[in-house]
Amino acid sequence: MPAEATAAPLLETRSLTKEFRGFRAVSEVSLRVAEGTIHALVGPNGAGKTTLFNLLTGFLAPSSGQILFGGDDITGKQPEQIAHLGIARSFQITSLFDQMSLVDHLELALASPTGMGYRFWRSNAQLRRFRDRAMELLDEVGLGDRAGQAAGSLAYGQKRALELALALALDPRLLLLDEPTAGMGLEDVDRTIALVKKVAAGRTVVFVDHNMHVVGSLADTVTVLQSGQVLAEGTYEQVRNDERVITAYLGQAGDAHV
Amino acid sequence: MSQQLTQKVDVELPAQSVIPRARPALRWLMLAVGLVVVLALPWFVYPPVAMDIAAWALFAISVDLLLGYTGLLSFGHAAFWGASAYSTGLIAIKLGMPFPVAVVGGAVVAMLLAIPTGYLAVRRTGIYFAMVTLAFAQMLYFLANMWGDVTGGENGLQGIPKAFFGVELVETDAFYFYYAAIPIILIGVFIAWRIVNSPFGRVLVAIRDNPARARALGYDVERYKIMVFVLSAGLAGLAGGVFSISHGFASLQELVWTTSGKVVLVTVLGGIGTLWGGPIGAAVVVLLEDRLASSGFNGIGIITGTIFIVIVLAFRHGIWGTARNGLTSWLNRRRIKTGQRL
Ligand SMILES: Nc1ncnc2c1ncn2[C@@H]1O[C@H](COP(=O)(O)OP(=O)(O)OP(=O)(O)O)[C@@H](O)[C@H]1O
Ligand SMILES: [Mg+2]
């Protein structure tokens, strides 16, 4: 496993900081994510994990610090620009188009890089050219038999799976997953782990999860955040034996899952 | 290109989408009925009033493109309707162009004006978007009022000709004029239909329902909003141009904020998010106003306002939305009864 590659990292943050009216949700975070690795971001509620994702994807502008992707400074870019650069994300709080069918979701995602969305003079039957790939992706996340259903009618765990499929549809170099298994049953958790492993081939993944089973099974590197700061970093084994981490996080919430 | 598309095998979609849409056969039937009504209208309704209904129908559709399909409430759409009413009139008067050319010219002016407005407005959402559009419309209103040499100020722009390639019947008789002008309205409706059922339309609905998600998928939400704003202004422009040609004058009434309010009322009354809503709302409001005006009644605003409030409170989806939902559930119940699959 190319855990600590010596090559330049695919994603790097330099003293990344986000303040909300003086409150530091993310504080001086310097992160290096090597290309081709799976990187877990863990930490108690309110540690700043989602805020960090929002900074990385342009949904929030950092108060200070820098974000580098593939060596380029992408600080201050807009979400849609970042998506086109090859960073796709899923949302912790499921964020879908409730009235749209699943297959329409995937077609929309697949059409995004082609610029087809601007064609107001063409029939939307054009989007059908993406249907085969859309169905493949839905099958991959186990939603193939619900393709025509509206997203709003899905169960919570299924919505999580659709989130994942949407991010995958963008075929990103860097995949950011915010709690991909939250609210899933054991079986779905295991399928998601297998799926993330599979899609991680040839990409880099950063994910947030409270489930230590998921973290342990997937992560090459784990970064522990607390109060917006990096508390520890290393392999799963290293991190879970780190005393500061045990007191801060695993000791209270995590042990049950380990 | 389309050849290649049609050859692709359609994947069978197992579960039924919950999005209520009429079946194709029913849609064609509705379209046929709609066309017959449009073509027969001046036989039953005083032709200039029929023309007003058609123009307001397209105007309402242009507003619905923003309100129903993109989730943007423009409270200044009179700007585009009115700007085109004046521009169309000026082109017809000063250049002596046939009226369809003048109307297209007016629509182009409306679209050009919509570019800076849209650019400023789409940075805001909700009530702030409405405020920016309203402010812009008010500015145009004052400009038109001040610039009396060109616009005729308080008197309006008088004597707009209906030049139509020397066909005298069209140029003098409102009944024939209706048939010469209705293709412009129908083309406008067709453009709206095309937009709504295009890949672009799909993105608009996505933006309406969840802009953050659309951005995460790589869609430049602001750019889409500017585009639909400009397209919508063009349709409002076509409508306003036809309206001013039909009346033979353009007045400040076309730019005043109550006109912006009225078109929103018409749209919501008919039902938003459906292309049928605008025409139905327009027919109701224009006919009602015409009846009340000809009976010499002065409180038109009170009556239409009351009806508006009652309908919106009682039927949240407007006249057409309510009728359609009722029809779909009735059809579904029937299909269950007759043992057909839903
Ligand atoms: N837009 C905002 N405005 C103000 N405070 C915010 C905002 N977003 C997040 N915060 C605060 O920043 C802190 C970090 O929140 P964040 O959502 O990043 O935590 P998290 O690590 O993702 O937690 P969880 O595990 O519960 O998802 C919290 O205290 C939160 O209240
Ligand atoms: Mg979070």
Side-chain angles (χ1 to χ4, degrees), chain A residues 24-129:
Chain A
R24 283 196 163 200
V26 171
S27 178
E28 306 271 337
V29 169
S30 295
L31 210 62
R32 290 165 71 90
V33 179
E35 177 131 37
T37 60
I38 303 183
H39 198 117
L41 215 52
V42 302
N45 294 116
K49 307 177 294 289
T50 298
T51 305
L52 185 56
F53 269 23
N54 284 334
L55 292 170
L56 295 176
T57 49
F59 280 94
L60 288 172
S63 309
S64 64
Q66 269 184 315
I67 306 163
L68 287 90
F69 180 62
D72 299 322
D73 191 339
I74 60 162
T75 322
K77 287 211 186 303
Q78 296 300 309
E80 57 272 14
Q81 296 174 310
I82 288 172
H84 285 296
L85 289 174
I87 302 180
R89 72 174 290 183
S90 72
F91 289 83
Q92 175 179 359
I93 297 171
T94 311
S95 177
L96 299 164
F97 311 110
D98 280 348
Q99 297 179 35
M100 207 182 270
S101 75
L102 272 56
V103 70
D104 285 357
H105 273 79
L106 271 298
E107 285 176 6
L108 198 68
L110 291 164
S112 166
T114 68
M116 187 190 280
Y118 289 116
R119 295 188 201 164
F120 59 82
W121 59 92
R122 299 304 298 264
S123 161
N124 58 15
Q126 278 218 316
L127 289 164
R128 287 205 200 125
R129 71 175 60 162

Side-chain angles (χ1 to χ4, degrees), chain B residues 197-253:
Chain B
N197 293 292
S198 69
F200 181 77
R202 186 81 65 82
V203 178
L204 293 185
V205 171
I207 289 172
R208 177 194 72 190
D209 290 346
N210 193 340
R213 177 36 108 176
R215 296 186 81 187
L217 291 179
Y219 287 105
D220 187 339
V221 167
E222 286 191 358
R223 200 143 142 205
Y224 278 87
K225 284 183 178 172
I226 294 173
M227 275 177 74
V228 70
F229 193 77
V230 172
L231 288 168
S232 163
L235 295 180
L238 284 180
V242 167
F243 187 86
S244 77
I245 295 277
S246 167
H247 285 248
F249 66 88
S251 74
L252 286 172
Q253 181 64 36

Side-chain angles (χ1 to χ4, degrees), chain B:
Chain B
M1 171 108 17
S2 59
Q3 192 71 24
Q4 181 203 332
L5 280 171
T6 45
Q7 277 171 4
K8 237 186 171 184
V9 192
D10 243 335
V11 181
E12 185 68 41
L13 297 181
Q16 188 73 37
S17 160
V18 297
I19 302 137
R21 272 209 91 175
R23 286 169 305 164
L26 196 61
R27 285 216 296 277
W28 284 111
L29 182 71
M30 275 154 45
L31 191 63
V33 171
L35 270 178
V36 168
V37 169
V38 167
L39 292 178
L41 200 58
W43 294 81
F44 302 101
V45 177
Y46 183 50
V49 175
M51 198 75 256
D52 282 2
I53 293 175
W56 274 90
L58 181 58
F59 192 15
I61 284 176
S62 82
V63 166
D64 195 30
L65 208 51
L66 297 176
L67 185 59
Y69 289 93
T70 323
L72 294 170
L73 171 59
S74 169
F75 208 77
H77 243 46
F80 309 114
W81 158 273
S84 172
Y86 278 100
S87 309
T88 299
L90 286 169
I91 294 169
I93 294 168
K94 304 258 156 136
L95 305 179
M97 291 283 187
F99 81 79
V101 179
V103 169
V104 170
V108 170
V109 171
M111 289 172 87
L112 290 175
L113 287 171
I115 294 171
T117 323
Y119 193 81
L120 288 175
V122 300
R123 274 141 212 284
R124 306 266 173 274
T125 52
I127 194 72
Y128 299 103
F129 178 90
M131 289 317 225
V132 174
T133 53
L134 173 62
F136 176 77
Q138 286 304 89
M139 208 173 73
L140 269 196
Y141 176 87
F142 287 115
L143 279 179
N145 198 5
M146 263 170 43
W147 205 12
D149 299 348
V150 180
T151 62
E154 300 263 309
N155 301 323
L157 188 64
Q158 306 277 350
I160 300 173
K162 295 181 174 59
F164 192 69
F165 312 103
V167 183
E168 216 171 292
L169 272 179
V170 169
E171 294 173 357
T172 54
D173 188 328
F175 180 80
Y176 294 99
F177 172 76
Y178 177 89
Y179 290 99
I182 201 72
I184 299 177
I185 300 294
L186 290 178
I187 287 169
V189 175
F190 173 78
I191 292 171
W193 175 83
R194 179 74 286 166
I195 292 171
V196 165
N197 293 292
S198 69
F200 181 77
R202 186 81 65 82
V203 178
L204 293 185
V205 171
I207 289 172
R208 177 194 72 190
D209 290 346
N210 193 340
R213 177 36 108 176
R215 296 186 81 187
L217 291 179
Y219 287 105
D220 187 339
V221 167
E222 286 191 358
R223 200 143 142 205
Y224 278 87
K225 284 183 178 172
I226 294 173
M227 275 177 74
V228 70
F229 193 77
V230 172
L231 288 168
S232 163
L235 295 180
L238 284 180
V242 167
F243 187 86
S244 77
I245 295 277
S246 167
H247 285 248
F249 66 88
S251 74
L252 286 172
Q253 181 64 36
E254 276 30 282
L255 283 170
V256 75
W257 67 271
T258 52
T259 297
S260 296
K262 181 172 154 190
V263 73
V264 173
L265 178 150
V266 167
T267 311
V268 175
L269 193 67
I272 65 169
T274 142
L275 291 178
W276 294 97
I280 288 171
V284 169
V285 171
V286 172
L287 284 175
L288 191 72
E289 284 190 346
D290 180 57
R291 287 291 131 83
L292 292 173
S294 55
S295 70
F297 182 74
N298 281 329
I300 293 174
I302 295 172
I303 299 281
T304 48
T306 312
I307 290 179
F308 173 72
I309 289 167
V310 167
I311 292 201
V312 170
L313 287 181
F315 315 103
R316 283 191 309 121
H317 303 284
I319 298 170
W320 179 249
T322 306
R324 190 188 54 179
N325 290 349
L327 188 70
T328 349
S329 63
W330 179 73
L331 280 175
N332 284 346
R333 256 181 282 132
R334 247 173 58 107
R335 260 178 282 168
I336 291 168
K337 257 193 209 150
T338 55
Q340 272 177 283
R341 203 174 69 91
L342 242 177

